[in-house]
Amino acid sequence: MAAGRARAPTTTSRVADVIGRSGLTGITFKQLASSTRLPAGEVTRQLADLAAAHAITRHGRGLWALSEYAGGRSPGPGFRGPDWYDLEFAREFGVSPVGAPREIQFGPNDRRPVHRWWPYVQGFSAEFVEETCRQYGVGRGSTVLDPFCGSGTVPTTARLLGARGIGADLMPIAALVARAKGEWDVTPAAFRAATRRVLRSTGRLRLSPPFLRETSRQFAAPVVRSLLRLKQGVRAEPEGPVQRLLELAFAGILIDSSHLKRAPCLGYTTKPNLTADTPFQLFEARAAIIEADLLLLGKHRASWGPPVEIHGESSATLPLRARSVDLAVTSPPYVNGMDYVMNYKIDLAWLDLVRSYADLARLRGAMVACDNIPRGLAEGHRPGPEVAGDPWVTWVAASIERNVHAKGTYRRADMARVVTKYFDDLLPVIRNVHRALRPGARFVVVNGDSLIAGTYVPGDLIFARLGVQTGFEVERFEIARHRRSGQHRGFQLRESVLTLRKPTGRPRPR
Ligand SMILES: C[S@@+](CC[C@H](N)C(=O)[O-])C[C@H]1O[C@@H](n2cnc3c(N)ncnc32)[C@H](O)[C@@H]1O
């Protein structure tokens, strides 16, 4: 063997060592080169050696992990996974997880009148909300609240059951949709007439495309003109429920008219058949569905509850009457989950709900923290004593910090702060809901966990802990479904349904 090819075991172990420290999430080539400070060629050589010895495996998105981590097995000493948290949670609160598989996601709403008016990937299945409402005796005279109402599945379902539905969502497109989906005092004939006017509107086009720089990449030029014509027609209608339904129909065709798909994040795709007619055809088809559903709804008018009450503001500060709500059902943004503003920026911009990139940034900064918030916001944030003093939050934050440091580079160096801020943002909402609920009422929360920089974050159970700090008791903890981590495909995450109860102050019957 030539002397120049002799390998120093210390450098080889450096690569293995750094991969090992990256734990469950693995590490990318770039991160590896930066952490080891070795030239790219040397990293490649050492990776090849380790792979040949089956010491490492390659998995999704070009990540490397030690073989022992592949498949989510043996995550290494000091790792706290779901089992550890579930056990501790049971010890502390006397509630263990129960498998209760059910459809909680939006998917089946495509076939449900009203709920199908605006597909919201992050939304609830109407069936789940209906079951939950029935379980807790919701009916005429009841009030149901969703503090993160999204497309309004909860308030809409409440109204269908004869109850009063209240919802809040800070993202204006969600508030617009939720409001429009809950207003059925519109005759199908009036809606049809308005739709026809929009489809036939002529005259000089006075509107220009939204401020988004990528518009010409996202939409073909003839499609942009057709969309603007439709928008102009919708704007010409008098303000009110009919116009809101037209806006909803318009919002609902934007992605289908573009070169984009939502799966669930926005991404480019190929759609060969887009023409100037596409927006008109899509709009007409969507309006026809709304009209058919209005006809159906009208037959059950006698059983409707009062019109839904939707607030386009933060549920942290939403003024709610104390002890006025009989049931709260919600699904908050998940920890390290979606950047809603990024994913709905097209709808927001085309409907003039935001008018600049600065507006988008402001909106993102006001939402429950996701991993796209500006650095300054995470850095300047000082969590309140409840979150700063919660041993689970502090452990998780310290573990993320350690792992990010060990990796050398990570998506965000301040990830631990983002996660801490996320929990701190949830706390005022939990407090607000607690105050609004009548004693004995339930707060049913669908939530998920996450794997962040090799640290398991039990978002569902930490939410419940904050609930207990606020005055709730934990009644039930059900696992509705399992899903795979985006960071490590072999690691199983979950979505759970946690039921919190506001105590009555009286001893509970056994
Ligand atoms: C998982 S989605 C809820 C979906 C909803 N359950 C449905 O059926 O459509 C979470 C929602 O929380 C909203 N959100 C985030 N931060 C908020 C805040 N501070 N106040 C109110 N809503 C917020 C997001 O805009 C998003 O629509």
Side-chain angles (χ1 to χ4, degrees):
M1 198 202 312
R5 293 188 61 213
R7 288 161 196 172
T10 45
T11 51
T12 303
S13 63
R14 239 160 82 194
V15 166
D17 186 41
V18 171
I19 293 178
R21 273 187 279 130
S22 74
L24 272 167
T25 52
I27 192 162
T28 63
F29 186 91
K30 211 167 138 195
Q31 290 168 334
L32 207 46
S34 149
S35 289
T36 56
R37 296 176 196 276
L38 292 171
E42 179 60 17
V43 175
T44 309
R45 193 184 62 70
Q46 291 185 20
L47 280 172
D49 278 358
L50 289 164
H54 303 291
I56 55 169
T57 54
R58 191 174 181 153
H59 56 99
R61 298 200 205 155
L63 293 170
W64 295 91
L66 279 183
S67 297
E68 68 181 274
Y69 291 130
R73 301 186 314 269
S74 176
F79 180 81
R80 290 179 178 178
D83 293 347
W84 187 92
Y85 285 104
D86 290 354
L87 227 103
E88 284 301 306
F89 192 81
R91 217 171 274 158
E92 209 169 327
F93 304 111
V95 178
S96 299
V98 178
R102 58 187 130 156
E103 184 59 82
I104 48 174
Q105 293 183 296
F106 192 87
N109 291 2
D110 284 349
R111 298 184 297 276
R112 286 268 190 146
V114 190
H115 297 288
R116 59 184 173 170
W117 291 357
W118 197 69
Y120 195 43
V121 196
Q122 294 76 23
F124 276 140
S125 82
E127 197 180 321
F128 164 74
V129 177
E130 219 172 76
E131 270 172 20
T132 306
C133 286
R134 290 196 195 283
Q135 184 179 356
Y136 295 112
V138 167
R140 196 157 290 285
S142 323
T143 299
V144 185
L145 165 73
D146 184 346
F148 298 109
C149 76
S151 60
T153 318
V154 170
T156 302
T157 305
R159 189 176 188 201
L160 283 167
L161 293 172
R164 177 165 172 249
I166 305 177
D169 204 292
L170 188 53
M171 190 170 62
I173 183 66
L176 182 150
V177 167
R179 213 168 273 138
K181 269 174 60 185
E183 286 177 320
W184 316 317
D185 307 276
V186 168
T187 65
F191 181 67
R192 189 183 329 128
T195 303
R196 286 220 180 110
R197 283 195 296 276
V198 172
L199 286 168
R200 289 176 189 166
S201 71
T202 48
R204 200 168 66 81
L205 193 55
R206 294 179 308 276
L207 301 182
S208 4
F211 66 90
L212 295 172
R213 285 188 281 271
E214 312 94 325
T215 300
S216 59
R217 191 169 163 223
Q218 291 159 346
F219 296 89
V223 170
V224 170
R225 278 193 295 280
S226 301
L227 285 172
L228 289 173
R229 183 152 295 287
L230 282 172
K231 178 173 165 180
Q232 190 164 292
V234 171
R235 285 287 137 90
E237 290 296 311
E239 274 179 30
V242 172
Q243 194 198 42
R244 273 195 286 279
L245 281 175
L246 293 168
E247 284 187 315
L248 178 148
F250 178 71
I253 66 163
L254 286 168
I255 298 302
D256 288 346
S257 304
S258 74
H259 301 307
L260 299 163
K261 63 174 188 303
R262 236 181 224 129
C265 294
L266 274 185
Y268 284 91
T269 185
T270 313
K271 296 183 199 163
N273 300 324
L274 294 176
T275 68
D277 282 338
T278 307
F280 293 104
Q281 289 157 357
L282 291 172
F283 186 81
E284 191 167 11
R286 198 160 281 260
I289 291 174
I290 296 176
E291 188 191 323
D293 290 355
L294 285 173
L295 196 68
L296 192 74
L297 283 166
K299 295 186 180 147
H300 304 279
R301 181 177 283 267
S303 61
W304 297 352
V308 298
E309 190 184 310
I310 304 297
H311 303 266
E313 58 189 286
S314 173
S315 40
T317 48
L318 178 71
L320 290 166
R321 203 152 52 83
R323 299 168 170 237
S324 63
V325 173
D326 301 287
L327 173 69
V329 186
T330 206
S331 174
Y334 292 2
V335 56
N336 198 29
M338 154 138 327
D339 176 353
Y340 286 92
V341 175
M342 163 95 89
N343 270 290
Y344 290 91
K345 66 180 177 194
I346 295 188
D347 317 59
L348 289 164
W350 271 89
L351 281 134
D352 300 326
L353 297 166
V354 293
R355 292 184 182 271
S356 64
Y357 283 101
D359 279 356
L360 284 174
R362 260 192 300 277
L363 183 58
R364 184 179 292 118
M367 310 262 291
V368 168
C370 69
D371 66 358
N372 254 351
I373 56 168
R375 281 175 209 287
L377 203 61
E379 198 177 316
H381 182 76
R382 298 284 168 270
E386 295 86 352
V387 166
D390 184 282
W392 285 21
V393 177
T394 44
W395 194 91
V396 158
S399 168
I400 293 174
E401 181 108 39
R402 245 190 339 268
N403 292 353
V404 168
H405 185 72
K407 277 170 182 284
T409 59
Y410 189 68
R411 204 178 117 46
R412 298 184 62 130
D414 61 351
M415 203 57 211
R417 281 177 184 273
V418 174
V419 171
T420 307
K421 179 171 181 342
Y422 164 84
F423 288 114
D424 206 41
D425 288 349
L426 289 177
L427 190 67
V429 181
I430 301 174
R431 274 205 202 108
N432 208 5
V433 173
H434 181 268
R435 198 179 143 270
L437 285 174
R438 294 185 208 286
R442 273 44 177 227
F443 186 14
V444 178
V445 185
V446 171
N447 207 342
D449 50 6
S450 193
L451 191 64
I452 304 174
T455 301
Y456 175 73
V457 185
D460 47 1
L461 297 186
I462 294 181
F463 190 105
R465 289 174 69 84
L466 298 178
V468 171
Q469 285 203 42
T470 305
F472 282 107
E473 52 194 38
V474 185
E475 195 170 62
R476 242 194 305 281
F477 169 26
E478 296 159 310
I479 311 289
R481 71 176 204 108
H482 285 103
R483 59 206 173 105
R484 291 192 174 282
S485 157
Q487 286 200 359
H488 190 294
R489 303 303 292 166
F491 193 84
Q492 202 178 51
L493 295 173
R494 66 192 181 197
E495 273 176 295
S496 60
V497 183
L498 263 149
T499 305
L500 306 177
R501 181 174 177 272
K502 180 170 175 173
T504 54
R506 295 189 300 273
R508 299 189 67 184
R510 298 206 144 247

